[in-house]
Amino acid sequence: MTRTVCLDGSLPGYHFQKGFGSGSNNWLLHIEGGGWCNSIETCEIRKRTALGSSKYMDPLIPFDGILSHQSSQNPDFYNWNIVKMRYCDGASLAGHPESEFKNGTKLFFRGQLIWEAIMSELLSLGLSKAKQALLTGCSAGGLATLIHCDDFRAHLPKDATVKCLADAGFFLDEPDILGNRTMSNFYHDVVQLQGVAKSLHKNCITEMEPSKCIFPQQIIKNIRTPLFIVNPAYDFWQIQHVLVPAGSDPDGYWRRCRLSIQKCDSTQIENLQGFRSSLLKAVGKLQHDKEGGMFINSCFVHCQTWMAETWHSSNSPRINNKTIAESVGDWYFNRKVTKEIDCPYPCNPTCYHMDFTQPS
């Protein structure tokens, strides 16, 4: 049997907080984010960090935002069984061992096996009897949520309410400011390196190049499980890696703008509005899906569900006076249709904007 291990060969892991009271039969799984590795060199570096090896992971981590057991911070899910799956394979839990190198390179591509092994263990701990369940994740974990959403559904009781929430995982297949397809080429390398195609939808990989099928705008065409997208319209990670990646701005015109939206001039803002339009077009299918939901706010931020400040607090970002937590809860429990799309920057005073030009 092929061992289930992280990039470096260490065992994968998860953190678990038991549910109580009315939430004891409900489960929330959150998949950690942290980018990807697209070459032997970058995976070798990664395997010496907590994103490639459990040797470097903290045994205890804070559970905040959507993971919190405090009702004031997490009104709808606070008493659920809450699991945080650690991310240590470098390919959104979708790598396959057939792609490992037999030439002495000690790298293990077992993301799909890690997903299956952790699911199997959680099912035996009570997930198999879940009444309500939510699979969620942020960034690369948001992408993993989209990849595994229907599989998660398939493992749970037919009469359970099962839904998925991707936070800052809606990466766009857009050219950068020079017209190069930087993100597309990067994903192509990840998919090739780790054999990710086997985890992607068959309908898609028969129609197009497999690395196109890892982009969320393709994945959502085949997802059958109710899905909610939380994504800022000006996701700083995407602005810094998709739209203005390192190397695309040799003269430094974008240097300050890519670090803080408040430092952008009117031409740059026009570019960012174009990027926002591409996101709205890419999530268009969810607009017409009666079971889908979204919260697209006009903030310069990345993940927003696992921090109390952005998930649900007195100064959280709001659209139509609702926090992300309230919007997700309304959608999950069918209290009301939730398709929140913010007006363009700079119209929302509740936004939490990151500023990387400030010394931390």
Side-chain angles (χ1 to χ4, degrees):
M1 180 175 148
T2 312
R3 287 186 317 128
T4 305
V5 290
C6 299
L7 275 174
D8 72 328
S10 60
L11 289 172
Y14 61 90
H15 303 270
F16 177 48
Q17 193 164 241
K18 207 165 164 38
F20 56 92
S22 61
S24 47
N25 288 319
N26 301 336
W27 288 74
L28 186 144
L29 272 64
H30 178 90
I31 307 173
E32 181 182 31
W36 308 267
C37 56
N38 67 330
S39 63
I40 295 175
E41 298 70 38
T42 54
C43 291
E44 283 284 352
I45 294 165
R46 192 180 178 95
K47 81 177 195 185
R48 296 180 182 86
T49 72
L51 288 169
S53 169
S54 56
K55 290 181 201 161
Y56 303 96
M57 294 175 186
D58 292 329
L60 286 172
I61 55 163
F63 272 26
D64 291 320
I66 198 171
L67 306 176
S68 173
H69 259 348
Q70 294 176 13
S71 58
S72 58
Q73 213 184 101
N74 193 21
D76 282 309
F77 308 109
Y78 72 94
N79 60 358
W80 287 28
N81 294 287
I82 295 178
V83 176
K84 179 160 184 168
M85 293 173 81
R86 297 304 295 260
Y87 174 37
C88 68
D89 72 295
S92 288
L93 299 181
H96 288 262
E98 295 79 5
S99 290
E100 289 168 5
F101 298 92
K102 311 294 182 250
N103 60 1
T105 309
K106 282 279 185 279
L107 285 171
F108 298 91
F109 300 149
R110 313 257 168 115
Q112 179 67 37
L113 288 171
I114 292 172
W115 162 256
E116 289 168 9
I118 293 180
M119 273 298 289
S120 166
E121 186 159 318
L122 295 174
L123 287 163
S124 73
L125 291 174
L127 178 61
S128 62
K129 299 188 184 70
K131 297 271 189 286
Q132 297 178 311
L134 178 61
L135 177 65
T136 171
C138 123
S139 194
L143 182 66
T145 296
L146 296 172
I147 292 170
H148 296 297
C149 177
D150 281 346
D151 184 58
F152 179 67
R153 174 66 197 94
H155 279 90
L156 296 182
K158 291 281 171 283
D159 59 350
T161 302
V162 183
K163 301 188 180 187
C164 302
L165 160 65
D167 174 18
F170 216 94
F171 300 95
L172 295 179
D173 186 7
E174 286 292 306
D176 65 25
I177 49 167
L178 294 180
N180 297 324
R181 305 218 66 104
T182 304
M183 195 64 188
S184 190
N185 295 336
F186 179 82
Y187 270 168
H188 178 267
D189 294 345
V190 174
V191 169
Q192 291 294 109
L193 180 71
Q194 293 220 30
V196 172
K198 284 190 174 165
S199 292
L200 302 175
H201 204 283
K202 309 284 176 289
N203 290 3
C204 185
I205 56 177
T206 52
E207 279 172 29
M208 58 185 83
E209 217 275 311
S211 63
K212 290 277 179 209
C213 300
I214 199 172
F215 280 102
Q217 63 209 70
Q218 302 303 335
I219 299 177
I220 63 170
K221 291 176 184 172
N222 292 299
I223 292 181
R224 299 283 163 263
T225 309
L227 175 65
F228 195 101
I229 300 293
V230 172
N231 225 92
Y234 313 97
D235 180 334
F236 73 70
W237 193 95
Q238 295 204 55
I239 288 166
Q240 294 168 5
H241 295 85
V242 181
L243 185 63
V244 196
S248 68
D249 182 38
D251 301 328
Y253 167 55
W254 281 85
R255 190 175 61 85
R256 287 170 67 72
C257 173
R258 70 196 286 279
L259 297 177
S260 169
I261 197 167
Q262 284 137 328
K263 310 277 193 306
C264 300
D265 66 27
S266 57
T267 311
Q268 291 166 329
I269 291 291
E270 215 169 292
N271 268 294
L272 297 185
Q273 303 302 19
F275 198 70
R276 171 182 178 270
S277 300
S278 300
L279 173 66
L280 296 182
K281 191 173 164 202
V283 298
K285 179 188 176 288
L286 279 183
Q287 280 280 49
H288 311 293
D289 176 356
K290 65 179 196 305
E291 295 194 307
M294 64 180 79
F295 190 101
I296 311 285
N297 55 348
S298 293
C299 310
F300 186 73
V301 67
H302 187 43
C303 295
Q304 300 182 91
T305 59
W306 59 270
M307 287 84 81
E309 303 79 55
T310 44
W311 172 245
H312 189 69
S313 70
S314 55
N315 50 2
S316 288
R318 286 168 164 73
I319 304 179
N320 296 326
N321 208 25
K322 284 203 310 197
T323 63
I324 299 172
E326 289 164 335
S327 304
V328 169
D330 282 350
W331 160 78
Y332 187 89
F333 297 102
N334 299 324
R335 292 191 292 243
K336 50 176 80 105
V337 173
T338 307
K339 300 218 165 83
E340 305 291 358
I341 296 178
D342 214 348
C343 46
Y345 176 85
C347 74
N348 189 340
T350 69
C351 263
Y352 187 94
H353 296 300
M354 295 297 286
D355 184 350
F356 298 99
T357 61
Q358 301 293 332
S360 51

